[in-house]
Amino acid sequence: MRTLRWLAVVAPIALTAPVAIAQSQNNIVKFAFTYYQPHSRTDGGIHGIGVPPGADAEVVNAATVLLTYERLLTPNVGVELVMGWPPKITAKATGSVAFLGDVLTARNLSPVLLLNYHFMPNEPLRPYIGIGINYTRFVDIESTLASDVKMTDSTGLAIQAGVEYRLNKDWELFAAIAKVDVKSKVVAVGANVLTATVDFRPITYTAGVTWRF
Amino acid sequence: MKRLRSFAFWSSCAALLAACGGGDLYVPGSGSPSGAPTTKGSFTSIVSFGDSLSDVGTYTPATSLAGDGTPPYFGGKFTTNETSNGQPDANPLGKIWLENIAASLGIVVTPAEVGFGASSVKCPAAAVPALATTCTAYGQGGARVTDPVGIGHDVGALTVPVVTQIANHLARFGSFQSSDLILVYAGINDVLVQFDAFAQTAAQAQADAAAGQITADQANLALFAAQEKAHAAMKAAALELAHDVVTQILANGGRYVAVMTLSDIVDTPLGNSLPAEVRPVLTGLSQVFNLWLREGLTGQPVQIIDTFALFKDAYANPGRFGIVNNTVPACDPAKISAITGGQVTDGSSLFCNATPGAPYNGLRTDADVNTWQFADSFHPTSGGHKVLGDVFRAQLQSFGWL
């Protein structure tokens, strides 16, 4: 099932890639580690019957690996698809219910499609910036508070800035920082019904190797 | 920005073949019943299921003046009883909401069962042939939704649960009729039982924490678990009640069916007597019940009378209903204890008589059954019941049924 989802994500991109622009080395594949640092906040905490005032939750940091593919349309402009191995994200209770500890885990399937601009394409050290969209779907959601938890999908803006450093004709190193707009409504149904809207506000720090071909 | 988001949304849906539709997630309890009658009913019976709030005299023999179960009786209903008026008439004194609504419709309603301990009689009104079909008030003090062991069962209260009350009606009458006005009002005793269990766990946890045997976090976790357990029991009771309504009442011919939610018991002298920090737990038990009752009745052809909102409004605005005191019980526990020879010490209104001048009058000296809301720690006076009856009647009128 997971493989199928990944295929569904990749296939349309591959099919619509502009093959007419035949430049040398306009395909870029990156493999990287990423550190996911959310600065989450809820819309006034956890809502539900009998929930004490000040009950809240926050998402804790996570790490995962990324695979990206970028197609250069010109020497400066490329379209990049970022896919991560879905990291396990954890939310812990805070505020008046901090004693509950970790209350929810989920994996976020979170592809990002970006339009990048690369400065100084012929220099060995090149900055780049990008803007695009992120789509996030939460899967494998589990909670200690309720037997049935659902989270809405999220679509939002993504921006990034990074640098690439050329090692040789085919290989480079890169590092990037990105900010993504991820918001999800959580509905947890057990004996009670709990709801919260979580604005994840993640910043991701990514570093890895680049292969151009 | 909005435009960009909108573009981003659709393009991502297309590009990623993701199922972006769907919108908001379903939240249980956010639906409503639908399909109940909207036309005036031609009612010849009121069929009522419930607990002490709907009890028209099940335990009357327990209030025998002679103490042997024989008349005359000085109590029998969970309100400020009056025994001097005898026959059903327009006088609301000593009557509960159900009797007031019945009287306004020209319908006589009598207890489905009367007795205490091992001896009880079903449909005692049938001794008079003309009244044989009037014994459709099934509410019994202490009764729960499903559990036959209600409050007071250990000391002789019948506490036939609502599920059995409905079965008893079907056994006696075969089915429901479209001329039945069916009122289902139960669950408060489930709240009280669950709250009691929670309170015991809470007291233990607090004592253990105070003694240093557990940490504050462990005590909080114990309280949280106890609250969750109580919520689960209230959810189960609510879904059972909804299931009974659908499979036993609607499926057996019930047409005009109104189901009451539970009010906030915090808005009573009992609630006022609790420490402030546990009151929200008590409120929450009614709310969890109401949520799942609503969920269980979503799409069903019934009407819900939301006592939670209606009573909260009435409690906050007593003057609108002619109430001047909604904090002090009208019945005097000391007097009732004296009248019952020390057997009833909690001031239960079941044993509270309000007949002026009667030697067994159990009212506080300055109490007024018409302007004080509560007879005991949470049952209404006859004046409080008049408010309930008026509020319910207005609801039934708003449904177009009266």
Side-chain angles (χ1 to χ4, degrees):
Chain A
M1 185 59 192
R2 178 159 292 153
T3 318
L4 196 61
R5 282 204 185 132
W6 281 76
L7 278 179
V9 167
V10 176
I13 299 296
L15 289 175
T16 55
V19 288
I21 305 169
Q23 273 178 294
S24 62
Q25 290 191 313
N26 52 15
N27 297 296
I28 303 172
V29 172
K30 290 172 177 166
F31 181 78
F33 289 99
T34 196
Y35 186 64
Y36 182 88
Q37 189 178 71
H39 301 78
S40 76
R41 62 183 177 203
T42 57
D43 63 333
I46 301 170
H47 309 286
I49 296 165
V51 176
D56 211 335
E58 69 179 33
V59 182
V60 298
N61 299 346
T64 189
V65 290
L66 285 187
L67 183 68
T68 84
Y69 169 74
E70 182 172 4
R71 174 81 180 183
L72 286 178
L73 308 177
T74 76
N76 296 99
V77 177
V79 176
E80 181 181 27
L81 177 68
V82 182
M83 291 167 295
W85 180 255
K88 186 173 185 176
I89 54 163
T90 300
K92 67 173 182 185
T94 60
S96 60
V97 291
F99 63 88
L100 291 173
D102 292 348
V103 289
L104 184 141
T105 60
R107 289 189 181 279
N108 58 345
L109 212 61
S110 184
V112 190
L113 190 63
L114 292 150
L115 187 66
N116 290 333
Y117 186 85
H118 300 265
F119 299 93
M120 306 177 289
N122 298 318
E123 301 297 321
L125 184 66
R126 307 177 308 279
Y128 67 96
I129 54 172
I131 186 167
I133 50 170
N134 163 266
Y135 170 75
T136 300
R137 161 169 293 202
F138 297 90
V139 296
D140 299 342
I141 309 165
E142 287 177 11
S143 172
T144 54
L145 300 182
S147 51
D148 176 22
V149 188
K150 290 189 171 65
M151 297 175 72
T152 53
D153 301 345
S154 167
T155 305
L157 191 68
I159 53 173
Q160 71 168 349
V163 288
E164 297 162 307
Y165 179 72
R166 185 170 297 152
L167 296 175
N168 59 40
K169 182 171 159 293
D170 300 324
W171 293 94
E172 301 181 340
L173 297 176
F174 87 99
I177 179 169
K179 188 174 183 303
V180 190
D181 197 1
V182 182
K183 211 169 189 179
S184 178
K185 183 176 181 189
V186 187
V187 177
V189 179
N192 201 346
V193 177
L194 304 173
T195 61
T197 300
V198 184
D199 190 351
F200 286 76
R201 308 196 309 152
I203 291 178
T204 62
Y205 302 90
T206 306
V209 294
T210 302
W211 178 48
R212 302 175 75 111
F213 62 99
Chain B
M1 186 60 188
K2 184 158 262 174
R3 194 174 217 156
L4 182 65
R5 282 201 185 190
S6 166
F7 167 74
F9 179 78
W10 288 113
S11 59
S12 77
C13 287
L16 305 173
L17 292 180
C20 287
D24 262 359
L25 299 173
Y26 179 69
V27 179
S30 59
S32 299
S34 66
T38 54
T39 54
K40 256 190 177 60
S42 307
F43 299 120
T44 56
S45 291
I46 294 185
V47 185
S48 158
F49 302 105
D51 49 35
S52 57
L53 287 173
S54 315
D55 187 335
V56 296
T58 303
Y59 305 127
T60 303
T63 71
S64 162
L65 273 176
D68 59 1
T70 61
Y73 307 114
F74 65 95
K77 286 180 279 192
F78 294 85
T79 184
T80 43
N81 293 273
E82 293 222 19
T83 52
S84 59
N85 293 311
Q87 298 303 308
D89 56 25
N91 188 341
L93 293 180
K95 292 195 173 61
I96 71 161
W97 66 271
L98 182 60
E99 296 167 295
N100 292 334
I101 290 180
S104 75
L105 297 175
I107 293 169
V108 177
V109 63
T110 62
E113 188 170 3
V114 171
F116 207 74
S119 96
S120 72
V121 180
K122 283 191 175 155
C123 199
V128 179
L131 297 176
T133 59
T134 64
C135 52
T136 51
Y138 291 87
Q140 294 188 346
R144 299 175 63 183
V145 170
T146 309
D147 194 329
V149 184
I151 293 176
H153 192 77
D154 54 337
V155 291
L158 303 179
T159 70
V160 170
V162 170
V163 63
T164 310
Q165 293 174 15
I166 299 170
N168 288 344
H169 183 79
L170 290 171
R172 186 168 195 91
F173 294 94
S175 66
F176 291 92
Q177 310 298 322
S178 57
S179 57
D180 293 339
L181 174 58
I182 302 161
L183 304 168
V184 182
Y185 187 11
I188 285 282
N189 288 313
D190 291 88
V191 170
L192 294 175
V193 167
Q194 298 308 329
F195 185 72
D196 192 44
F198 169 82
Q200 285 180 26
T201 306
Q204 185 65 48
Q206 278 168 349
D208 289 350
Q213 288 167 352
I214 57 174
T215 65
D217 275 1
Q218 285 170 325
N220 277 328
L221 281 169
L223 292 184
F224 178 79
Q227 189 182 8
E228 283 287 287
K229 194 176 168 195
H231 282 171
M234 291 317 301
K235 175 183 179 182
L239 291 178
E240 284 160 11
L241 184 62
H243 183 258
D244 295 341
V245 167
V246 173
T247 65
Q248 300 305 307
I249 296 178
L250 293 175
N252 286 305
R255 280 260 294 146
Y256 288 88
V257 183
V259 184
M260 280 70 161
T261 66
L262 301 184
S263 59
D264 185 354
I265 308 175
V266 163
D267 298 338
T268 66
L270 172 73
N272 290 332
S273 72
L274 297 170
E277 63 268 26
V278 299
R279 291 182 200 174
V281 176
L282 182 58
T283 303
L285 296 185
S286 287
Q287 289 177 308
V288 167
F289 182 91
N290 295 346
L291 186 158
W292 292 107
L293 181 66
R294 190 172 287 279
E295 175 68 9
L297 294 174
T298 293
Q300 297 295 336
V302 302
Q303 285 283 8
I304 288 177
I305 295 180
D306 187 12
T307 72
F308 191 93
L310 293 167
F311 290 7
K312 210 161 245 321
D313 177 51
Y315 188 74
N317 303 286
R320 202 196 297 154
F321 300 90
I323 298 295
V324 300
N325 182 334
N326 60 12
T327 55
V328 183
C331 302
D332 187 337
K335 284 186 183 174
I336 290 173
S337 177
I339 292 161
T340 58
Q343 290 186 54
V344 178
T345 56
D346 63 356
S348 169
S349 59
L350 179 64
F351 303 94
C352 179
N353 191 291
T355 309
Y360 39 81
N361 181 306
L363 288 187
R364 285 178 204 274
T365 310
D366 54 345
D368 183 333
V369 297
N370 294 312
T371 59
W372 288 33
Q373 186 172 348
F374 292 101
D376 57 21
S377 56
F378 59 90
H379 296 108
T381 57
S382 54
H385 266 296
K386 183 173 182 308
V387 175
L388 258 65
D390 290 348
V391 166
F392 289 163
R393 215 183 126 74
Q395 289 284 300
L396 297 171
Q397 278 168 338
S398 76
F399 304 155
W401 293 3
L402 299 185

